Amino acid sequence: MTLTWQPPDGPARGSVVLLHGVTAQAATWWRIGPALGSLGWQTTAIDLPGHGLAGPLGKQPRFEELVEDVGRQLPARVDLLVGHSLGAIVALLLAEHAAAVVLEDPPDGLGDDRDIRLGHEVGAARSDPDWARAQLRQHNPDWAEQDVTHAVDGLLRVDLPGLVAVLARDIGWDLPALVAQAGRPTLVLAPPPESGGALATDRAAVRELVGPDRFVEVDGGHCMHRSRPQWWLDRVDAFAEAVLSGRA
């Protein structure tokens, strides 16, 4: 499923595509999408395969197929491609379709126990959604209630067997190499190192590649679009205006 938000008046400043992370869904952008639309951006949020209402991944899913499926759903023109967490890796792999890229806490690895952790999180939510909601609320006091609701819904809807099959394969990546190969102006939004975000060992290399002015930190956890939405919007809009203002 895709969600779209249009500018209220006049022509769009450009097009923005939003890609969510593991176990999330297009609805995670419920506040960001309309806000970008009100700022003049034609905005689209896409459910990654196996997430939200996109349907299952298939019998023998591969990460490359997931990326290709998202690529087929992109609008004809993408000025700004935004990815959160695993969505940031997908965005980098599809960067040729965009003029610029935003990476929100891109992971430099998912960890050897990624499938175990995923199974635990999804299983707990499906066994007791109210408990999962309470845990998310406790650990994310800055989230709006809609953020908690969409996070739980994402856990309930995800194709767990398909996603575990994808993540159980060797889908490791060289994050600095992907950033370098993208060849696009890139903004990185990341929590500080002590916050334990997804960007860890490759932080210095990625900062050097994008430049210190385009590597921006805030104490907002892994999901800054949820915990610091106005901060997120201000940085992304300013970056888009700076790198896309001359694009006809």
Side-chain angles (χ1 to χ4, degrees):
M1 184 186 75
T2 61
L3 300 174
T4 59
W5 298 272
Q6 301 288 347
D9 300 301
R13 295 164 62 191
S15 61
V16 178
V17 174
L18 306 170
L19 304 178
H20 63 77
V22 170
T23 75
Q25 54 186 334
T28 189
W29 306 107
W30 67 273
R31 178 164 42 189
I32 296 297
L36 287 171
S38 69
L39 291 171
W41 300 101
Q42 182 179 358
T43 307
T44 302
I46 297 175
D47 274 335
L48 300 185
H51 295 74
L53 300 178
L57 282 159
K59 293 183 179 179
Q60 293 183 319
R62 299 187 63 85
F63 186 58
E64 295 85 351
E65 295 169 346
L66 182 151
V67 174
E68 291 169 359
D69 186 287
V70 175
R72 288 190 291 269
Q73 298 182 64
L74 294 177
R77 168 173 169 161
V78 181
D79 292 306
L80 190 66
L81 187 55
V82 179
H84 170 239
S85 193
L86 186 63
I89 304 303
V90 177
L92 285 171
L93 292 169
L94 294 172
E96 64 182 302
H97 299 284
V101 179
V102 174
L103 311 175
E104 180 183 351
D105 202 18
D108 45 26
L110 296 179
D112 294 335
D113 62 343
R114 55 187 178 258
D115 53 337
I116 298 174
R117 289 185 287 110
L118 181 64
H120 174 74
E121 292 171 6
V122 173
R126 291 177 177 175
S127 296
D128 191 343
D130 290 336
W131 179 86
R133 180 184 298 275
Q135 289 295 301
L136 284 166
R137 167 53 58 221
Q138 177 182 346
H139 294 295
N140 302 282
D142 295 329
W143 289 15
E145 284 303 318
Q146 293 95 321
D147 291 313
V148 175
T149 295
H150 291 312
V152 174
D153 286 347
L155 289 166
L156 297 178
R157 290 174 172 173
V158 71
D159 172 17
L160 180 60
L163 192 55
V164 167
V166 168
L167 298 181
R169 297 175 184 271
D170 181 11
I171 62 167
W173 50 76
D174 183 334
L175 182 59
L178 289 178
V179 172
Q181 292 166 10
R184 299 291 188 272
T186 301
L187 173 68
V188 176
L189 307 176
E194 61 271 17
S195 296
L199 180 56
T201 57
D202 291 332
R203 177 179 292 263
V206 171
R207 183 196 297 270
E208 183 175 356
L209 283 166
V210 303
D213 293 340
R214 291 182 178 172
F215 190 102
V216 189
E217 296 179 350
V218 67
D219 187 8
H222 180 53
C223 302
M224 287 158 279
H225 66 281
R226 287 167 165 160
S227 60
R228 300 288 186 271
Q230 191 58 55
W231 180 93
W232 192 103
L233 283 163
D234 290 344
R235 271 73 189 168
V236 171
D237 184 62
F239 169 72
E241 178 63 23
V243 300
L244 301 173
S245 57
R247 185 171 166 83

